[in-house]
Amino acid sequence: MTTLADAVAATGVRVHEHLDPAAEVPRISRAAAQGDVLVLRVNGPVAVEPMRKAVAVVRSAVTTHAHTLHPCGPCAWEAHTPASASDVLLGVLTVFGGSTAVLIHQEHGALEVLPGTYQVRRQREFAGVWRPVTD
């Protein structure tokens, strides 16, 4: 079991004090959302670019907060450059067997991503028109 305190120690990212450091970090093997980020397991293609350090997948336009991915063992990350405003793909994450990756955010806490290949996407919401979710 990984706790939020474990995730903070492993990543160096400080979370808000109202979050319980003893809380168990959810483990992702299929799909999960964290604020404006969605993580979906896919059947391929796999990412091949070694992920040697943390990656900021979304930074807040209003605060200093960011959703960051941290490899815990061999992982690969390939960032995606959006082709249009409706393109929500941020990148592809591959977590190799025996490894995990931690997605952490100051307000939302942490998620532990289990081995597999995932698309990391920006969430959208409909408010008369489709727009990115922001937090």
Side-chain angles (χ1 to χ4, degrees):
M1 175 179 95
T2 299
T3 65
L4 184 56
D6 296 331
V8 168
T11 64
V13 175
R14 298 182 68 171
V15 297
H16 286 190
E17 291 182 9
H18 69 273
L19 297 175
D20 181 2
E24 185 175 348
V25 172
R27 304 179 93 194
I28 301 171
S29 62
R30 292 183 180 244
Q34 184 187 70
D36 51 357
V37 173
L38 182 64
V39 180
L40 294 172
R41 189 173 184 145
V42 295
N43 289 326
V46 300
V48 294
E49 184 68 32
M51 185 177 168
R52 300 192 197 295
K53 60 180 183 174
V55 172
V57 293
V58 173
R59 292 187 186 279
S60 172
V62 180
T63 69
T64 58
H65 297 160
H67 296 269
T68 54
L69 274 171
H70 302 259
C72 299
C75 296
W77 168 256
E78 291 184 4
H80 173 75
T81 302
S84 68
S86 64
D87 185 353
V88 294
L89 182 62
L90 298 168
V92 175
L93 169 69
T94 296
V95 179
F96 298 106
S99 301
T100 62
V102 174
L103 179 65
I104 192 164
H105 184 272
Q106 293 81 358
E107 293 177 332
H108 303 298
L111 299 172
E112 186 173 27
V113 184
L114 299 178
T117 296
Y118 301 84
Q119 287 187 346
V120 180
R121 299 177 177 193
R122 186 91 189 231
Q123 290 205 90
R124 295 187 310 160
E125 62 188 355
F126 189 75
V129 294
W130 286 102
R131 66 181 184 192
V133 173
T134 58
D135 61 12

